[in-house]
Amino acid sequence: QVRLVESGGGLVQAGGSLRLSCQASGIIYSINAMGWYRQAPGKQRDLVATITGDGITNYVDSVKGRFTISLDNARHTVYLQMNSLKPEDTAVYYCNADVVYSSFVGGSRRRSTDSWGQGTQVTVSS
């Protein structure tokens, strides 16, 4: 299976910066895309940014110009650099991956699109 582990969240004042990391582990052959989502209390989980395996990025309008997503294919790790943070960015941030993997060495290759990390809390104080 594919396991995702996020890190890098924390408490920061408005205008500050944080860098989130998410590493995918398992027998991974290729990354189609990875992305970051966030969920504020009482709200649904929303897209923040995605990046394809060949580097094409997509951002929700509210973070354009402030957040940068990047991907290290060799390390199976996606990053989210968050600058000029605002209180409305406060949420639990989750990582998602669309990858080709196998469950064991020599096993058949499968595509996983529903792998999620445990989430990392980002709190921005005003």
Side-chain angles (χ1 to χ4, degrees):
Q1 301 297 336
V2 177
R3 181 171 179 247
L4 302 176
V5 178
E6 299 110 333
S7 62
L11 172 64
V12 65
Q13 289 188 330
S17 298
L18 285 173
R19 188 190 194 210
L20 306 183
S21 300
C22 171
Q23 185 170 36
S25 61
I27 304 174
I28 297 171
Y29 293 102
S30 62
I31 295 174
N32 295 319
M34 293 186 76
W36 288 96
Y37 294 72
R38 64 187 178 187
Q39 187 167 18
K43 296 188 176 181
Q44 66 181 19
R45 189 174 299 183
D46 292 325
L47 170 71
V48 176
T50 60
I51 185 167
T52 65
D54 52 6
I56 299 172
T57 59
N58 178 57
Y59 299 91
V60 66
D61 286 346
S62 60
V63 307
K64 285 181 180 177
R66 300 188 298 122
F67 291 10
T68 302
I69 189 170
S70 59
L71 176 65
D72 184 334
N73 264 299
R75 296 177 185 267
H76 301 153
T77 300
V78 64
Y79 304 94
L80 186 68
Q81 178 66 44
M82 305 186 294
N83 299 327
S84 302
L85 282 160
K86 304 176 181 180
E88 51 263 43
D89 295 317
T90 295
V92 178
Y93 283 69
Y94 296 92
C95 172
N96 176 260
D98 177 353
V99 302
V100 176
Y101 76 103
S102 59
S103 297
F104 54 91
V105 176
S108 59
R109 298 188 181 195
R110 302 179 179 182
R111 182 180 180 185
S112 171
T113 61
D114 59 355
S115 297
W116 292 91
Q118 80 287 354
T120 185
Q121 176 70 48
V122 171
T123 303
V124 184
S125 62
S126 57

